[in-house]
Amino acid sequence: MIIDTHIHLDNERYKDDLDEVLNRARDAKIKRFIIPGADPATLERTLEIVDANNDVYFAVGVHPYDKASFDELDFEKYVGHKKCVAIGECGLDYFRLEGSDEEKLKEKEEQKRVFRAQIELAKKYKKPLIVHIRDASRDSKEILLELDAKEVGGVLHCYNADEELLSLAKEGFYFGIGGVLTFKNAKKLVNVLAKIPKDKLLIETDGPYLTPSPHRGERNEPLYTTFVAQKMSELLDTSLHDITELTTQNALRLFTLR
Ligand SMILES: [Zn+2]
Ligand SMILES: [Zn+2]
């Protein structure tokens, strides 16, 4: 069995065939799905999906790109739902910073404010964090340490292969591995994979994005976590059975799923 720990099923690209997408995955033994929060505008859609499917869980949070909606989001309304298993995805993303140096600095400060606030919420509600980090490893790590995020731990989703972040394993952080692992140019991730403690490995799609080989260019879906597990099994020289068992146990533990 595999647990897809990060799948944006609320994305409009699944709107027309969501049941087929889920059933294809279920038939291939992908047995739990976690929808991360990103844009609060789609949270109601998330709840619809979660309420209609026993095996789908969700997180509430605001992606750095959607930070403008953070202050209006009514966290309490969602965090009490019995299938809300985490806070996020939240974090820092400096990949698309635009404008003058001053504007960039302002943008970073605002991202940090919204990230810090969500770490505090995670601690308040005792839920693990789903953390998104892109081109911002140092600042993200600093904030996670400064705010004692280890109280709740979490996952560095779509782990960027930065060795600087590996020490967060000791702070209760897991490493979400997805389609990138199968890319021909993923040397960095391929090389760092064995350095991640085995009890901190998770599998995710991040669908509809980051589709693994050999389906690159198509919409990603949970079924394709099988390619990620397969690649992980080859690289770590561990049987596919042991990889799926290991990553499943890790996901059940982190998100307190049954
Ligand atoms: Zn993300
Ligand atoms: Zn995501």
Side-chain angles (χ1 to χ4, degrees):
M1 147 173 171
I2 292 177
I3 297 182
D4 188 350
T5 57
H6 196 105
I7 168 71
H8 296 277
L9 295 173
D10 54 326
N11 188 285
E12 58 183 21
R13 291 175 70 191
Y14 298 115
K15 208 170 160 210
D16 296 330
D17 63 347
L18 182 67
D19 288 339
E20 285 94 330
V21 165
L22 286 171
N23 286 332
R24 271 198 293 275
R26 288 165 181 146
D27 289 346
K29 293 196 176 148
I30 293 116
K31 296 295 187 189
R32 308 267 187 286
F33 310 85
I34 299 175
I35 308 177
D39 177 0
T42 61
L43 264 168
E44 288 302 319
R45 170 69 183 144
T46 293
L47 285 193
E48 262 174 47
I49 300 169
V50 163
D51 289 338
N53 295 279
N54 277 335
D55 47 6
V56 181
Y57 299 78
F58 77 106
V60 57
V62 180
H63 190 284
Y65 289 164
D66 298 297
K67 65 183 185 320
S69 33
F70 175 74
D71 292 321
E72 281 94 73
L73 175 58
D74 182 3
F75 264 85
E76 325 267 330
K77 177 176 169 193
Y78 299 97
V79 84
H81 190 290
K82 64 177 189 308
K83 292 173 90 182
C84 177
V85 295
I87 301 291
E89 58 183 290
C90 56
L92 302 177
D93 190 322
Y94 297 165
F95 181 67
R96 273 200 236 162
L97 292 184
E98 282 169 354
S100 65
D101 285 355
E102 200 181 322
E103 282 164 328
K104 285 181 185 162
L105 192 69
K106 222 180 123 199
E107 163 76 22
K108 285 185 182 179
E109 286 311 310
E110 183 59 10
Q111 285 196 18
K112 288 182 191 172
R113 180 183 75 85
V114 170
F115 184 28
R116 285 198 176 97
Q118 293 183 83
I119 297 172
E120 296 297 359
L121 284 163
K123 284 157 61 178
K124 177 174 173 190
Y125 294 109
K126 300 190 172 33
K127 304 249 183 225
L129 285 155
I130 296 174
V131 182
H132 170 106
I133 301 174
R134 190 164 183 195
D135 291 352
S137 295
R138 185 155 310 158
D139 284 1
S140 304
K141 183 173 164 179
E142 203 176 282
I143 290 175
L144 289 168
L145 293 174
E146 172 197 314
L147 295 188
D148 262 329
K150 67 168 181 288
E151 269 181 39
V152 290
V155 53
L156 308 180
H157 112 81
C158 194
Y159 171 48
N160 63 13
D162 219 328
E163 296 209 22
E164 190 176 349
L165 297 174
L166 283 174
S167 64
L168 288 172
K170 294 195 303 279
E171 310 282 320
F173 281 86
Y174 291 63
F175 298 78
I177 308 293
V180 174
L181 191 66
T182 68
F183 294 178
K184 279 206 172 61
N185 57 358
K187 289 209 178 64
K188 219 177 142 193
L189 186 59
V190 163
N191 290 331
V192 84
L193 187 73
K195 296 186 185 172
I196 302 171
K198 300 283 172 291
D199 63 348
K200 292 290 188 290
L201 277 172
L202 296 178
I203 290 178
E204 65 175 52
T205 50
D206 203 15
Y209 320 106
L210 297 172
T211 314
S213 178
H215 291 277
R216 276 192 90 169
E218 298 169 27
R219 178 189 69 175
N220 200 0
E221 59 174 76
L223 173 64
Y224 298 161
T225 53
T226 50
F227 295 105
V228 177
Q230 182 63 48
K231 186 76 185 180
M232 211 183 259
S233 141
E234 288 163 24
L235 291 170
L236 296 177
D237 200 16
T238 306
S239 72
L240 186 60
H241 171 272
D242 287 356
I243 286 292
T244 54
E245 177 64 23
L246 174 78
T247 52
T248 292
Q249 291 306 322
N250 292 345
L252 294 173
R253 185 184 330 115
L254 176 63
F255 296 109
T256 352
L257 299 172
R258 270 174 296 146

